[in-house]
Amino acid sequence: MAILCGEHMRIAKNRSSSALVPLPKDFYARDPRAVSRDLLGKVLVRRQQRKLLTARIVEVEAYLGQDDPASHSASGRTLRNFVLFGPPGLTYVYFIYGNHYCFNVSCLPDGQAGGVLFRALEPISGVEQMALARDIELNERTDLRKLTSGPGRLAEAFGITRERDNEKDLTSKKSDLFITDDGFRPQRIEVTPRIGITKAAEQPLRFIIAGNKFVSK
DNA sequence: TACATGATGCCCT
DNA sequence: GGGCATCATGTAG
Protein backbone atom coordinates (compact mmCIF):
# COMPACT_ATOMS: atom_id res chain seq x y z
CA MET A 1 0.00 0.00 0.00
CA ALA A 2 1.25 3.42 -0.94
CA ILE A 3 0.55 4.81 2.53
CA LEU A 4 3.42 2.79 3.95
CA CYS A 5 6.27 4.97 2.84
CA GLY A 6 9.12 7.09 4.15
CA GLU A 7 9.13 7.50 7.90
CA HIS A 8 6.23 5.13 8.40
CA MET A 9 7.90 2.31 6.54
CA ARG A 10 11.03 2.60 8.61
CA ILE A 11 9.08 2.62 11.85
CA ALA A 12 6.79 -0.20 10.80
CA LYS A 13 9.82 -2.35 10.08
CA ASN A 14 11.55 -1.48 13.33
CA ARG A 15 8.43 -2.30 15.28
CA SER A 16 7.50 -5.50 13.54
CA SER A 17 9.32 -7.76 15.99
CA SER A 18 8.19 -6.06 19.20
CA ALA A 19 4.79 -6.21 20.90
CA LEU A 20 2.38 -3.30 20.85
CA VAL A 21 2.25 -1.97 24.40
CA PRO A 22 -0.49 0.45 25.52
CA LEU A 23 0.60 3.71 27.12
CA PRO A 24 0.31 3.36 30.91
CA LYS A 25 -2.25 5.00 33.21
CA ASP A 26 0.37 7.48 34.46
CA PHE A 27 0.60 8.93 30.98
CA TYR A 28 -3.02 10.10 31.17
CA ALA A 29 -3.03 11.09 34.86
CA ARG A 30 -1.80 14.57 34.01
CA ASP A 31 -3.05 17.95 32.85
CA PRO A 32 -4.90 17.55 29.51
CA ARG A 33 -2.52 20.08 27.92
CA ALA A 34 0.51 17.93 28.75
CA VAL A 35 -1.30 14.78 27.62
CA SER A 36 -2.34 16.48 24.37
CA ARG A 37 1.18 17.53 23.52
CA ASP A 38 2.59 14.09 24.27
CA LEU A 39 -0.14 12.25 22.36
CA LEU A 40 0.99 13.86 19.10
CA GLY A 41 2.97 11.30 17.12
CA LYS A 42 1.64 8.32 19.11
CA VAL A 43 -0.30 5.55 17.35
CA LEU A 44 -3.97 4.66 17.83
CA VAL A 45 -4.52 0.92 17.50
CA ARG A 46 -7.75 -0.97 16.91
CA ARG A 47 -7.81 -4.76 16.87
CA GLN A 48 -10.67 -5.74 14.59
CA GLN A 49 -11.19 -9.46 14.07
CA ARG A 50 -7.98 -10.50 12.28
CA LYS A 51 -7.13 -6.98 11.11
CA LEU A 52 -5.09 -4.26 12.80
CA LEU A 53 -6.05 -0.65 12.21
CA THR A 54 -3.31 1.83 13.11
CA ALA A 55 -2.96 5.57 12.60
CA ARG A 56 -0.71 8.32 13.89
CA ILE A 57 -2.22 11.03 16.09
CA VAL A 58 -1.62 14.40 14.41
CA GLU A 59 -4.26 16.73 15.93
CA VAL A 60 -5.90 16.85 19.38
CA GLU A 61 -7.64 19.33 21.66
CA ALA A 62 -7.43 19.70 25.44
CA TYR A 63 -10.60 20.13 27.51
CA LEU A 64 -9.70 21.21 30.99
CA GLY A 65 -12.70 20.21 33.07
CA GLN A 66 -14.99 22.15 35.34
CA ASP A 67 -13.10 25.43 34.96
CA ASP A 68 -13.24 25.24 31.15
CA PRO A 69 -16.56 26.62 29.82
CA ALA A 70 -16.14 24.72 26.54
CA SER A 71 -15.71 21.37 28.28
CA HIS A 72 -18.60 18.93 28.61
CA SER A 73 -17.68 18.64 32.27
CA ALA A 74 -18.05 22.39 32.87
CA SER A 75 -21.47 22.10 34.51
CA GLY A 76 -20.80 18.96 36.51
CA ARG A 77 -21.18 15.25 36.25
CA THR A 78 -24.05 13.82 34.19
CA LEU A 79 -25.06 10.48 32.70
CA ARG A 80 -23.30 11.47 29.48
CA ASN A 81 -19.98 12.82 30.75
CA PHE A 82 -19.32 10.75 33.90
CA VAL A 83 -16.21 9.14 32.38
CA LEU A 84 -14.42 12.51 32.37
CA PHE A 85 -14.69 12.56 36.18
CA GLY A 86 -13.36 9.05 36.64
CA PRO A 87 -9.95 7.38 36.33
CA PRO A 88 -7.52 8.49 33.59
CA GLY A 89 -7.01 6.60 30.34
CA LEU A 90 -10.67 5.76 29.72
CA THR A 91 -12.52 6.56 26.51
CA TYR A 92 -15.24 9.20 26.50
CA VAL A 93 -17.34 8.83 23.36
CA TYR A 94 -20.35 11.04 22.67
CA PHE A 95 -22.86 11.48 19.85
CA ILE A 96 -23.16 14.91 18.24
CA TYR A 97 -25.30 16.66 15.59
CA GLY A 98 -27.43 13.55 15.23
CA ASN A 99 -24.73 12.08 13.03
CA HIS A 100 -21.26 11.74 14.47
CA TYR A 101 -19.31 10.27 17.33
CA CYS A 102 -16.41 12.09 18.96
CA PHE A 103 -13.63 10.15 20.64
CA ASN A 104 -11.85 11.42 23.76
CA VAL A 105 -9.66 10.06 26.52
CA SER A 106 -10.07 11.03 30.18
CA CYS A 107 -7.16 12.72 31.90
CA LEU A 108 -6.11 13.71 35.43
CA PRO A 109 -6.40 11.46 38.52
CA ASP A 110 -9.73 9.89 39.52
CA GLY A 111 -12.15 12.56 40.70
CA GLN A 112 -10.80 15.39 38.54
CA ALA A 113 -12.51 16.08 35.22
CA GLY A 114 -10.55 16.64 32.02
CA GLY A 115 -9.93 15.06 28.65
CA VAL A 116 -8.43 15.15 25.19
CA LEU A 117 -10.44 15.10 21.94
CA PHE A 118 -8.90 13.30 18.97
CA ARG A 119 -9.35 15.47 15.89
CA ALA A 120 -7.18 13.94 13.16
CA LEU A 121 -5.08 10.86 12.42
CA GLU A 122 -2.69 9.81 9.67
CA PRO A 123 -3.49 6.23 8.58
CA ILE A 124 -0.66 3.70 8.79
CA SER A 125 -2.29 0.29 8.35
CA GLY A 126 -5.77 -1.05 7.71
CA VAL A 127 -6.56 1.64 5.14
CA GLU A 128 -8.91 -0.70 3.28
CA GLN A 129 -10.97 -1.32 6.43
CA MET A 130 -11.09 2.41 7.17
CA ALA A 131 -12.30 3.19 3.66
CA LEU A 132 -14.95 0.50 3.97
CA ALA A 133 -16.14 1.92 7.29
CA ARG A 134 -16.26 5.41 5.81
CA ASP A 135 -18.01 4.20 2.64
CA ILE A 136 -15.27 5.69 0.50
CA GLU A 137 -13.98 4.08 -2.68
CA LEU A 138 -10.24 3.46 -2.55
CA ASN A 139 -8.24 4.13 -5.71
CA GLU A 140 -5.12 6.03 -6.76
CA ARG A 141 -7.03 9.32 -6.75
CA THR A 142 -8.60 8.90 -3.30
CA ASP A 143 -7.75 11.73 -0.94
CA LEU A 144 -6.81 9.73 2.17
CA ARG A 145 -7.55 12.74 4.34
CA LYS A 146 -11.23 11.94 3.92
CA LEU A 147 -10.66 8.82 6.01
CA THR A 148 -9.40 10.26 9.29
CA SER A 149 -9.10 14.05 9.06
CA GLY A 150 -11.76 15.34 11.47
CA PRO A 151 -13.18 13.97 14.74
CA GLY A 152 -16.31 12.44 13.22
CA ARG A 153 -14.37 10.93 10.36
CA LEU A 154 -11.71 9.23 12.45
CA ALA A 155 -14.31 7.77 14.79
CA GLU A 156 -16.18 6.30 11.84
CA ALA A 157 -12.97 4.97 10.23
CA PHE A 158 -12.09 3.15 13.47
CA GLY A 159 -15.65 1.98 14.09
CA ILE A 160 -15.79 3.91 17.35
CA THR A 161 -19.27 4.32 18.86
CA ARG A 162 -20.54 5.20 22.31
CA GLU A 163 -22.39 1.92 22.58
CA ARG A 164 -19.30 -0.13 21.78
CA ASP A 165 -16.43 1.91 23.17
CA ASN A 166 -17.45 4.43 25.83
CA GLU A 167 -15.67 3.91 29.18
CA LYS A 168 -13.16 1.50 27.62
CA ASP A 169 -9.73 1.28 29.30
CA LEU A 170 -7.11 2.38 26.76
CA THR A 171 -4.32 1.24 29.08
CA SER A 172 -5.38 -2.40 29.28
CA LYS A 173 -3.42 -5.01 27.35
CA LYS A 174 -6.70 -6.82 26.74
CA SER A 175 -8.36 -3.77 25.15
CA ASP A 176 -9.15 -3.85 21.42
CA LEU A 177 -8.53 -0.10 21.40
CA PHE A 178 -5.38 1.52 22.78
CA ILE A 179 -2.54 3.93 22.08
CA THR A 180 1.11 2.96 21.70
CA ASP A 181 4.47 4.66 21.27
CA ASP A 182 6.42 3.49 18.22
CA GLY A 183 9.29 5.88 18.81
CA PHE A 184 8.19 8.54 16.36
CA ARG A 185 8.70 12.12 17.59
CA PRO A 186 7.14 15.15 15.85
CA GLN A 187 9.67 17.67 14.59
CA ARG A 188 7.51 20.66 15.46
CA ILE A 189 4.24 21.13 17.35
CA GLU A 190 1.88 24.08 16.88
CA VAL A 191 -0.76 25.30 19.33
CA THR A 192 -3.90 27.13 18.13
CA PRO A 193 -7.43 27.93 19.34
CA ARG A 194 -9.90 25.04 19.39
CA ILE A 195 -12.29 24.39 16.50
CA GLY A 196 -16.09 24.52 16.46
CA ILE A 197 -16.73 25.92 19.92
CA THR A 198 -18.29 29.21 21.05
CA LYS A 199 -17.25 29.42 24.70
CA ALA A 200 -13.60 30.05 25.58
CA ALA A 201 -12.97 29.95 21.84
CA GLU A 202 -9.80 32.00 21.99
CA GLN A 203 -7.75 29.78 24.29
CA PRO A 204 -4.77 27.99 22.64
CA LEU A 205 -5.69 24.39 23.41
CA ARG A 206 -5.52 22.72 19.99
CA PHE A 207 -2.29 20.84 19.35
CA ILE A 208 -1.13 19.81 15.87
CA ILE A 209 1.94 18.33 14.22
CA ALA A 210 3.18 21.28 12.15
CA GLY A 211 2.91 20.73 8.42
CA ASN A 212 1.13 17.37 8.61
CA LYS A 213 -1.37 17.18 5.77
CA PHE A 214 -3.90 15.13 7.75
CA VAL A 215 -4.57 17.98 10.17
CA SER A 216 -8.20 19.16 9.74
CA LYS A 217 -9.21 22.56 8.29
C1' DT B 1 -43.00 16.36 28.49
C1' DA B 2 -41.07 19.98 25.57
C1' DC B 3 -37.54 22.23 23.64
C1' DA B 4 -32.96 24.14 22.36
C1' DT B 5 -28.48 22.90 21.08
C1' DG B 6 -24.15 20.97 19.59
C1' DA B 7 -16.01 19.55 20.52
C1' DT B 8 -19.48 17.82 12.52
C1' DG B 9 -19.41 16.71 7.79
C1' DC B 10 -21.44 16.68 3.34
C1' DC B 11 -23.42 18.72 -0.54
C1' DC B 12 -24.51 22.65 -3.29
C1' DT B 13 -23.49 27.15 -5.20
C1' DG C 1 -18.44 29.79 1.72
C1' DG C 2 -23.11 28.68 3.38
C1' DG C 3 -27.06 25.72 4.40
C1' DC C 4 -28.63 21.86 6.65
C1' DA C 5 -29.50 16.96 8.25
C1' DT C 6 -30.54 14.61 12.57
C1' DC C 7 -31.00 13.00 17.48
C1' DA C 8 -29.08 12.23 22.24
C1' DT C 9 -28.69 14.95 26.00
C1' DG C 10 -29.48 18.43 29.47
C1' DT C 11 -32.39 21.69 31.32
C1' DA C 12 -36.52 24.28 31.93
C1' DG C 13 -41.26 24.21 32.80
Side-chain angles (χ1 to χ4, degrees), chain A residues 81-170:
Chain A
N81 68 16
F82 69 93
V83 176
L84 292 172
F85 292 79
L90 268 58
T91 58
Y92 168 50
V93 183
Y94 64 88
F95 190 58
I96 191 73
Y97 293 115
N99 271 301
H100 311 286
Y101 290 98
C102 288
F103 168 49
N104 305 250
V105 59
S106 64
C107 299
L108 295 168
D110 196 357
Q112 296 178 57
V116 174
L117 167 70
F118 295 84
R119 286 197 55 91
L121 309 171
E122 175 172 359
I124 299 173
S125 72
V127 173
E128 292 84 358
Q129 283 71 35
M130 295 182 203
L132 197 64
R134 292 270 301 120
D135 197 24
I136 286 175
E137 188 192 350
L138 208 54
N139 59 47
E140 55 282 349
R141 291 184 304 280
T142 304
D143 183 353
L144 294 178
R145 288 178 292 192
K146 288 197 177 303
L147 296 179
T148 52
S149 184
R153 288 170 167 182
L154 73 86
E156 187 170 39
F158 272 69
I160 294 171
T161 67
R162 180 170 174 91
E163 294 70 26
R164 178 181 179 189
D165 296 304
N166 191 48
E167 206 186 1
K168 191 167 273 183
D169 187 356
L170 290 180

Side-chain angles (χ1 to χ4, degrees), chain A residues 33-51:
Chain A
R33 284 164 288 210
V35 177
S36 291
R37 188 175 287 274
D38 292 345
L39 276 175
L40 292 178
K42 302 295 190 294
V43 177
L44 179 66
V45 181
R46 167 76 105 180
R47 291 196 187 96
Q48 195 165 253
Q49 290 121 28
R50 313 284 275 276
K51 310 286 186 180

Side-chain angles (χ1 to χ4, degrees), chain A residues 144-206:
Chain A
L144 294 178
R145 288 178 292 192
K146 288 197 177 303
L147 296 179
T148 52
S149 184
R153 288 170 167 182
L154 73 86
E156 187 170 39
F158 272 69
I160 294 171
T161 67
R162 180 170 174 91
E163 294 70 26
R164 178 181 179 189
D165 296 304
N166 191 48
E167 206 186 1
K168 191 167 273 183
D169 187 356
L170 290 180
T171 70
S172 167
K173 276 179 289 191
K174 292 179 294 188
S175 178
D176 66 342
L177 188 66
F178 62 93
I179 297 168
T180 192
D181 182 358
D182 70 354
F184 178 89
R185 293 293 177 270
Q187 285 202 325
R188 198 161 62 84
I189 289 170
E190 282 176 8
V191 187
T192 80
R194 294 174 291 189
I195 305 285
I197 57 170
T198 53
K199 302 166 196 160
E202 73 293 343
Q203 291 193 50
L205 294 171
R206 173 173 173 255

Side-chain angles (χ1 to χ4, degrees), chain A residues 64-79:
Chain A
L64 305 184
Q66 297 201 262
D67 297 327
D68 176 4
S71 170
H72 283 184
S73 45
S75 52
R77 184 186 170 116
T78 68
L79 201 56

